Amino acid sequence: MRFKCTMGLRNTLIVMALLLSVSTIPFSGAASLKSHAFFNETGELPCHFPNTQNLSLDELVIFWQDQNKLVLYELFKGQEKPNNVNPKYIGRTSFDQDSWTLRLHNVQIKDTGSYQCFIHHRRSQGLVSIHQMSSDLIVLANFSQPEIRLIANQTEKSNIINLTCSSIQGYPEPQRMYVSLNTTNSSSTYDAVMKKSQSNITELYNVSISVSFPIPPETNVTIFCALQLEPTKIILSQPYNIDAKSPVPSPPVPDHILWIAALLVTVVVSGMVFLTLKKRKKKQPGPSNECEIIKVEEKESEQTAKRVELQEPERSDEVQCDVNISKTASDSKSATDF
Ligand SMILES: *[C@@H]1O[C@H](CO)[C@@H](O)[C@H](O)[C@H]1NC(C)=O
Ligand SMILES: *[C@@H]1O[C@H](CO)[C@@H](O)[C@H](O)[C@H]1NC(C)=O
Ligand SMILES: *[C@@H]1O[C@H](CO)[C@@H](O)[C@H](O)[C@H]1NC(C)=O
Ligand SMILES: *[C@@H]1O[C@H](CO)[C@@H](O)[C@H](O)[C@H]1NC(C)=O
Ligand SMILES: *[C@@H]1O[C@H](CO)[C@@H](O)[C@H](O)[C@H]1NC(C)=O
Ligand SMILES: *[C@@H]1O[C@H](CO)[C@@H](O)[C@H](O)[C@H]1NC(C)=O
Ligand SMILES: *[C@@H]1O[C@H](CO)[C@@H](O)[C@H](O)[C@H]1NC(C)=O
Ligand SMILES: *[C@@H]1O[C@H](CO)[C@@H](O)[C@H](O)[C@H]1NC(C)=O
Ligand SMILES: *[C@@H]1O[C@H](CO)[C@@H](O)[C@H](O)[C@H]1NC(C)=O
Ligand SMILES: *[C@@H]1O[C@H](CO)[C@@H](O)[C@H](O)[C@H]1NC(C)=O
């Protein structure tokens, strides 16, 4: 009302200043700013202080508090003041002077909530509140990529496939988990009740489903598992392919099978080496270097040696080899013992 009386540059400036201060009020009101942070990472609690008067930190008292009025951080005359800080926030915060933002480190799901920043100006008459802002911290944790595991116990002829799909360590609770079966011409979806377990320490969720469904034996199929977090946000598993005419799924060959194959090859090759050695030994006997790793007890090997001298036809090549080592081994042993 007063502004209408006089017009002039000075009053226009006052109006602008008022408008500026008014425009900051909605921020501290119902529509507070939302800030997202990932579990175990750093969250940001903004203050958005415009500092139009270019006040220095020495003239200000700044603090943040949570929805339970516990103090996270206080800056008094430019100095951190830990006295009022709640123990649960000690060592977890850092103040970014340039952006007037407080960073909260090692964010937990429990840190979800609303926070307030207050800035007071130290004047001769005392502290005057000059700025205030609320923000909501939303903490998320990314679920792992869903993983399909076949339940191994399946009869060969069955066209029924049984699988579980699981995803771990996420937050918040997802909406749905399902399996999609795709062939060249069709796709179908199989749902099941999602099993959830929530850690009572981290509050993170693990989820899984178990489904069983028929697969068409005459076509190649691809199975996906999907975890739906929000209506439009889905995480897909790696595709699981099952080839036509084979009800038994053929996933990529696991590492351990390759290891077993490698081991078998090694055994066969070593067998051939021993055989060669055996033949060579008949012509010129002597210890062989390749066999030195194997250890055999002295007495046992002596007995074996006798039997070998009798040239038992079924003796394994390995024994031949053992004889040589144990002889050299016991020789060297007695040499050191006496
Ligand atoms: C939190 O992050 C640290 C590394 O910053 C890591 O060592 C730790 O395992 C993480 N904790 C959880 C529960 O993810
Ligand atoms: C703000 O004040 C500081 C000294 O306190 C001065 O160096 C700086 O130039 C000022 N900035 C503005 C934009 O007035
Ligand atoms: C979580 O996933 C989003 C993509 O959905 C990605 O931008 C973000 O970096 C991920 N965060 C972590 C901590 O893995
Ligand atoms: C395999 O299936 C049979 C019956 O079909 C059941 O008795 C057995 O416990 C199952 N084994 C495993 C490891 O699930
Ligand atoms: C699939 O699993 C369910 C429950 O685990 C079991 O009842 C059913 O017999 C299984 N089916 C096959 C084909 O293994
Ligand atoms: C897919 O559709 C095509 C034409 O629509 C058809 O010729 C083909 O047989 C179908 N394949 C299967 C596996 O059903
Ligand atoms: C499965 O097939 C349908 C079309 O038949 C397609 O829209 C969908 O994207 C496929 N799903 C995946 C996971 O590829
Ligand atoms: C979730 O899965 C992880 C990894 O398998 C496990 O360490 C953790 O205990 C599980 N948490 C719950 C609540 O089941
Ligand atoms: C939470 O976990 C602790 C172990 O860390 C256990 O003793 C307690 O029973 C659990 N509480 C619930 C409600 O599961
Ligand atoms: C199934 O996939 C294999 C390759 O994985 C391909 O050779 C074969 O032609 C496919 N069969 C059909 C019916 O699409």
Side-chain angles (χ1 to χ4, degrees), residues 258-279:
L258 292 176
W259 277 108
I260 290 168
L263 195 67
L264 283 173
V265 167
T266 315
V267 166
V268 167
V269 168
S270 352
M272 284 163 73
V273 168
F274 288 138
L275 197 66
T276 322
L277 288 171
K278 181 185 175 183
K279 280 174 185 166

Side-chain angles (χ1 to χ4, degrees), residues 151 153-155:
I151 294 171
N153 202 4
Q154 295 189 91
T155 49

